Amino acid sequence: MTLTLRDWGAMWKQLYVKNEGDLFHRLWHVMNEILDLRRQVLVGHLTHDRMRDVKQHITARLDWGNEQLGLDLVPRREFSMVDPDEISVTELYRLMEHRHRKKETPAPASTHHLFVHVKSLMSANLGEELEVYFHIYDARENRPLSERFFVRLNKSGLPKSPEKTERQCTLFVDLGSSDLRKDVYIVVHLVRIGRMAAGEKKNLCSVQYRRPFGCAVVSIADLLTADSKDDHLLKVYACNTESEWYQIHENIIKKANSRYNLSGSNTGLAVALQLLHGDIEQLRREYMVLFTRGVSITRKLGFSDVIMPGEMRNDLYVTLEKGEFEKGGKSVAKNVEITVYVLDMDGQILKSHVAAGSGEPGGDEYHSLVLYHNNSPRWSEQIKLPIPVDMFRGSHVRFEFRHCSTKDKGEKKLFGYSFVPLMQEDGRTLPDGTHELIIHKCEENTSLADCSRYLKLPFSKANVPSNNQTLKGAKESFWITSFLCSTKLTQNGDMLDLLKWRAHPERINDSLSKLKEIDGSEIVKFLQDTLDTLFGILDESSQRYGLKVFDSLVHIINLLQDSKFQHFKPVMDTYIESHFAGALSYRDLIKVLKWYVDRIVDAEHQDHIQQVLKASEYIFKYIIQSRRLFSLATGGQNEDEFRVCIHELFMSIRFFLSQENKGTSPVAQTQAVFLRTFPAVYSELLKIFTVREVAGFVREMLGSLPTTVHAECPLEAIKLQCIGKTVESQLYTNPESRCILLPVVLRVLQAHMQEQRDLVMCARILTSMLSLIKKEENGTAEPVVSEEVELIVESLLGVLLRTILEISNRPQSTGPAMRLQFQDVTGEFVACLLALLRQMSDRHYQQLLQAFSSKDDLRDFLLQIFTVFRILIRPEMFPKDWTVMRLVTNNVIITTVLYLSDALRKNFLNDKFDYKVWDSYFYLSVIFINQPCLQLESFSPSKRKKILEKYGDMRVMMGCEIFSMWQNLGEHKLNFIPAMIGPFLEVTLVPQPDLRNVMIPIFHDMMDWEQRRSGNFKQVEAKLIDKLDSLMSDGKGDETYRELFNSILLKKIERETWRESGISLIATVTRLMERLLDYRDCMKLGEVDGKKIGCTVSLLNFYKTELNKEEMYIRYIHKLYDLHLKAQNYTEASYTLLLYDELLEWSDRPLREFLNYPMQSEWQRKEYLHHTIVQNFDRGKCWENGIILCRELADQYESYYDYRNLSKMRMTEASLYDKIMDQQRLEPEFFRVGFYGKKFPFFLRNKEFVCRGHDYERLEAFQQRMLNEFPHAIAMQHVNLPDQTIYQADAQYLQIYAVTPIPESQDVLQRDGVPDNIKSFYKFNHIWRFRYDRPFHKGTKDKENEFKSLWVERTTLTLVQSLPGISRWFEVEKREVVEVSPLENAIEVIENKNLQLRTLITQCQNRQMQNINPLTMCLNGVIDAAVNGGLARYQEAFFVKDYIMNHPEDGEKIGRLRELMFEQAHILECGLVVHEKFVPQDMRPLHKKLVDQFHLMKSSLGIQEFPSYVRASPVHFTNGSPRPCRNSVPNIISPDGGRGVARRSYPAVNRYSSSSLSSQASNEVSNITGQSESSDEVFNMQPSPSTSSLSSNHSASPNVTSSAPSSARGSPQMAEKHKHSRENTCLSPRERPVSAIFPNPLDPAQRAPSHQIGDTTLPRSDPNLSAPDKAGSSAKNMRSQSPVPTSRSPQKTTVPLFTPSPTECHPASLVSSSPVLSGSYSSGISSLSRCSVSEASGTELPAGDHPSHPLPPPTTLPNSISSSSDEPIRRENKTPPPYSVYERNNPRRPVPLPHSLSIPPQTDPPALPPKPHQLRTGSMKLEGTSDPRVPRPRPLPRKVSQL
């Protein structure tokens, strides 16, 4: 009890944590109750009965709590726990099953009771007192089932005696289950007490009458489903005419609406109704309050379904049915009232013996209802007359009839009476039924005073002599119905004649014959008297009446077999023991019984004989008791004679039992009847005969039965039942008799079990037998028990195993009863098997194994028993909470397995090796260890301690046995590789250190043997990896296991020749475990967060790149996809699903059913994936990517002429374009996150990532989210890289700060006229690199001018993948840090400001701005320079002589700064001109102020007039629109310009040549416009890459890629064949040559040597070469290399270069795939695409110079990308990741999209379109196949052929 409460206490607190408040409070109350009861037990002052009750209460509450908390079921006997070792397993099973059944299926109660509590009557016009009568009514038989319950209500409708609850509450008792039907009703009659008419005035009459008021009805069946606590409001109906009052309830039930109506709209009777179940004593215990406060008992009419001995009852029920009265000379009918009295033999009125019903005490008289003006009234009122038995004789009931006048006096005038005596002269009571009584005239009350005068008159018309015509013809009559319910009085004359047989000896024969016709309830009333009568007659005239007395005795005995009277059996037993005195009766009884048995074979009718045999138990009881009485009286005379008689009787029985008959013959049925009753005789025979004699009788009886009976014969089942009763009898418990009976029992059992017949009975018999064996083991009879076990093992072990296998493999029956039966019988057979195995000793096992004649028999036995053991271990074998039973089972199994493993080693090794037996053994061992009930770690400490003390850790024992057996296998181990790898791995994952230490070395053994056989252990590796995922996903394994696995195996393989490959395998498996453990830990969390997604990405990559497990890879793709959908990361979900899409081709290859995909073709699945991805791109507002997939699908539909779908797809594409232009996209922020410390998961530990924030998420919100995801993490407050102490700390550190994206697609961003909606996509998508600037002062800070020492530390982070991608964050692959000098910083700031000014001026002039305020603010900020001193500070810092002298290398930069300042002044002047044009009137003063300040600013800069290069560009905008700037130069210090270069020179000669100035003379203002940036970016100290407008150079920047062909830019009239050339720009990676995907820098065809391309005076590695000059020189040199002539004319250069739309620059892949999986690897767009060559190299065709021949093959042209200023980034020792939107071969290369998003190139259309089936094979091929010179990569084998 104490241990249980301790366990509960811990779990109780957890309930509070889990918010299970209801159970928390209930358990609290139960725990307190148990503690109180425990105190009472410990005090020890309780009586024995009270102690028993307390223990019962404690046990019940402990079991309740264990059940509620999911704890184990505790086997108990007599309220105390049972030790499983001290009882048989079969007995343990029975105890467990009994408690389980008691808990699961409480036995349905056969007795029911209805509780009624009257609350009130609600009525608007009451004003009079009421009487309410309840009774239960059977509508099927139209009769009441109970007496009435009577409640008085006052004028307010409330009970008159509220303090007496027994007058308001009642219990209708003893309702049978058959009474709970729909057609059984609770009927309520309401009677008012008052004036004759409800509306009469009060002063008319003071006399009160009982008048009809209303009726209510409710079905009992409605209460079965209703909530017991609810009150019921019953509608009250009134009859339309009073003559219908007697049947108003029937009319309401039949819904005869015309005969009744509602007594009032608001009238209703409020009552509480509740059905209670169980016997009355149980209710007294459970509803103690109900009985203590008082409740009246309302009985049934008649006896209940079960009559109990000793029950006393004597109630006479009289129903006033109807009357017929004459008018008596009056014009109107009478108002008749009946008054009922009960008078004794002296004529005195019996007080309090007339009851209207229960609830109210009985009265002296009863007044009936008065029905208004009715000479034929029908009352149907039932009254109860509880008259004592001794007062019945001579008493009578008198009915007085009065007419009730409605006149003023209101008198009641007597006009007649009737009477009825209660008992007749012969002692019989008034018979039940309807009686028509004579109404005798009488007008004076005095004439009734002497009852002797009228008692001589006839009372009933049935009693009137035939000659008295006066009374016979009387018109007035009165009908009553009487019903007597008495345990002492009888209405049966035959019964009285039999009991008074001595008075009338001549009637004995008739009385004995009529006994069978008497109702059983009459016989059991007088059972003892009847038996005395029968044996009295037998003693006096046995010769004459012996047979009849025997038959009568048989009739009475069989009567007690009836369920209604079965409780009277103890009465007969008591009679036999205490009152029976027939010492000579045994002779007659034996003689008659033998007479009957001898006639069985020849008798035609067996019915009576069968009745005799049914009664044989009690006949033998009478025989034995009679003989004992005779022996006592005579000192044991005639003993031999008695024994001879008994032997002769049994000989007759054996003879009739030996008759062979068909199963349906009467004799066979008689045999069955005898076999059913015979076992009950054993105990009686043992009173006289010895145990051996009785056992001999039984053996001879069972042996005499025919053995050749057919299997379907019912006699076989009866025979088995007889054996079952025999085994359970007192006879079998004795070892002496058991050794005689056991062979017979085993023979029958074996036969039945072999034929699978009557298994339930077989299980029961076997259970009883083995329970007895266990008991004896604790005694002294060890040898006897051992012999019995040996006999049972020899006979039944094999057949028992086969039976369990047969039952377990049998399909479960659908019926619940059959299913329960099978489950029970399986459990019982299992318990028998376990009990038998537990009894077996070493000797038994030796004998068992030696008994097998051949190896095959032994093999079959071992296979059988191993299979059975596996069945026993199944979770469904026993209920969940049967841990005790499971532990016993496991203990028996492991003991048996230890015995059998020796047999396995001796008989099935070496040349006799049998794989099947060994496999079965290993399989059993593995599932044994993995059982949930043996995982001690999951148990509470107290439970774990108990199990370890009792059984030890059985897992370790079995593990040692597995290891031992494995070592014995030798070379046969190869048979179990790789089959046993998975099972053994599962065993090692069990968190038991000893077991792991034993089992892990087996893997070394497997690797060694596999190495010997195959030269490698690929099979071992593959199986380990496959099983690890599923096992660890199920929650198995931990970090300790990973370390142990690693250390044990590394130690084991130290000396092996294959050590290196072994270490590689162990490392791979260990790394996989790390990721799986991280994944499992993350998945335990509730919401989807970054950890879950990041962990899944890590695992997904590992499966693809390191393990090449494609199926697992695809499974995790879909897991990641589901996570993204759950988190509403729709863009990331699309990229994720693209990984799978990339693995599929547009082919008709059939794919098998996989995950949620049906069986379909590869084309259909890819189509479905495309649709899903487009839908998710749409939801994620990544419409540009969706458009590319739409085009790919459209091409597929077009190639198949599926124009319906093509139309839909084009409409979808169009809708995406609309969304780009119409819908607003939020610009995400990006954050760099560093995870430092050993406490982070493996995939995060000591790594840094860049994360794409959620919508509206700023730095503070992101930091908080990360801290919520990692609640134990410490936020670092600085941005410096941490030191090693942080890296190695056992903690979690988070370092978070915002970073700025560096867009790859500069071309689109620098182009004017492109809407911001489009630019926003390129600013924040496909981002590889991010920048973070940290300003700092180097040297001494000048307080006067801080710009002198203001340096910037610029950190550029390069990711392994671009964002967005399959995750919201990716790891940083490369970190670069450069320092920007103060001068360079100043140049950047002014460049950015100039850019901003240009943008605002352009927007204003193009009327793109809603108002002019942004331009006004920007002009004011620059001109006023109120914050930081403006340009003057730069002059002071960098234009002074000291600075120029100290920094001679910065001369060109100073010149550049001066140019930018002049340029800014020029832009400001232009801006003021534009501002003046658009400024509103109210802002004119501000404009004037700005103009004035601008002149001051010019003068402060010393500008009188602008230099020539500035003046050459007067500010005006041709046609109001600026020319797009194609010569923009990247930002000087941007990461694109130069990596790690701190200082650069700016050769002005290249920048400001006269040719460049003259070329710009016609479009001056176009120089001002450039890249548009928001104002906050310009003022930021982290300037985005910007461009200078002053370069005349028209070469394309390496950052800019145009996909338009050269000819398209040179001529407005393109050739027809080039119209769609934009769609032909890119080859799919599947169709491209490998050289195009991975450009080889050493390939002369693709890359010219650096000395041919670069300027020798400006080497490419020169750190002082500025980015613009690099671009310029590169482009210039490229022009010289290009085979296509280049136009230098300014007129030609004014034609804007064509910039692709987001969907026209066709990237190689949104998601590129591994070469292993898809046959190609996306590394960006091929640099040799013919459309991009001239673009990237800065070449253009003149307007009229179109080549007449196609462009030369791509391989003959220089590669613009590979020859640009930066070398491709090569990831050494890294497998390329399986996904990328843009693969970075060059940070400044053209930006491709994935090939899955690229449009397959189209060939020139044929003159006539080919048919679809012709296109089927060819149309899906991409352009690369058309050039035979292009080598096509050899496709690698695809693993996922069916996925």
Side-chain angles (χ1 to χ4, degrees), residues 64-77:
W64 177 87
N66 286 338
E67 182 185 355
Q68 294 297 315
L69 295 171
L71 299 175
D72 299 334
L73 185 68
V74 179
R76 300 183 195 276
R77 186 190 284 154

Side-chain angles (χ1 to χ4, degrees), residues 33-48:
E33 195 175 352
I34 292 174
L35 286 170
D36 289 340
L37 294 169
R38 179 174 174 273
R39 252 180 245 117
Q40 295 180 32
V41 172
L42 291 176
V43 168
H45 294 163
L46 301 176
T47 62
H48 183 75

Side-chain angles (χ1 to χ4, degrees), residues 458-470:
F459 64 90
S460 167
K461 290 197 175 183
N463 295 350
V464 175
S466 56
N467 56 4
N468 192 340
Q469 295 299 322
T470 308

Side-chain angles (χ1 to χ4, degrees), residues 1629-1835:
R1630 299 185 190 282
E1631 312 301 336
R1632 281 201 303 275
V1634 176
S1635 60
I1637 298 170
F1638 297 104
N1640 184 355
L1642 300 177
D1643 186 350
Q1646 295 188 31
R1647 178 176 179 176
S1650 58
H1651 67 272
Q1652 294 177 2
I1653 296 172
D1655 190 341
T1656 55
T1657 59
L1658 289 172
R1660 293 174 42 146
S1661 58
D1662 182 3
N1664 296 320
L1665 179 61
S1666 67
D1669 297 312
K1670 285 185 181 182
S1673 62
S1674 172
K1676 182 174 66 178
N1677 292 322
M1678 287 304 296
R1679 279 199 297 276
S1680 66
Q1681 296 282 329
S1682 174
V1684 183
T1686 304
S1687 172
R1688 301 291 294 166
S1689 166
Q1691 284 77 17
K1692 300 303 178 189
T1693 57
T1694 58
V1695 179
L1697 292 177
F1698 183 80
T1699 303
S1701 77
T1703 56
E1704 287 167 346
C1705 177
H1706 301 298
S1709 173
L1710 267 188
V1711 183
S1712 57
S1713 54
S1714 168
V1716 177
L1717 301 181
S1718 62
S1720 65
Y1721 192 86
S1722 169
S1723 61
I1725 187 168
S1726 170
S1727 58
L1728 302 182
S1729 299
R1730 65 182 186 181
C1731 62
S1732 61
V1733 171
S1734 59
E1735 310 273 349
S1737 59
T1739 61
E1740 296 180 0
L1741 286 175
D1745 296 343
H1746 293 293
S1748 59
H1749 55 83
L1751 289 173
T1755 53
T1756 65
L1757 297 178
N1759 188 328
S1760 63
I1761 297 174
S1762 61
S1763 62
S1764 63
S1765 60
D1766 290 277
E1767 288 290 327
I1769 297 172
R1770 310 300 286 175
R1771 296 174 179 80
E1772 297 297 332
N1773 300 324
K1774 285 198 176 184
T1775 306
Y1779 46 84
S1780 67
V1781 177
Y1782 298 113
E1783 186 64 36
R1784 306 180 323 290
N1785 279 341
N1786 189 318
R1788 301 184 58 191
R1789 78 197 187 296
V1791 181
L1793 282 172
H1795 80 263
S1796 64
L1797 292 193
S1798 63
I1799 308 297
Q1802 299 173 352
T1803 57
D1804 292 339
L1808 287 174
K1811 294 180 180 178
H1813 72 269
Q1814 294 170 339
L1815 272 177
R1816 191 76 183 185
T1817 55
S1819 63
M1820 310 307 290
K1821 297 178 182 177
L1822 300 181
E1823 190 184 9
T1825 59
S1826 63
D1827 190 351
R1829 291 169 296 175
V1830 178
R1832 183 178 172 85
R1834 181 176 63 84

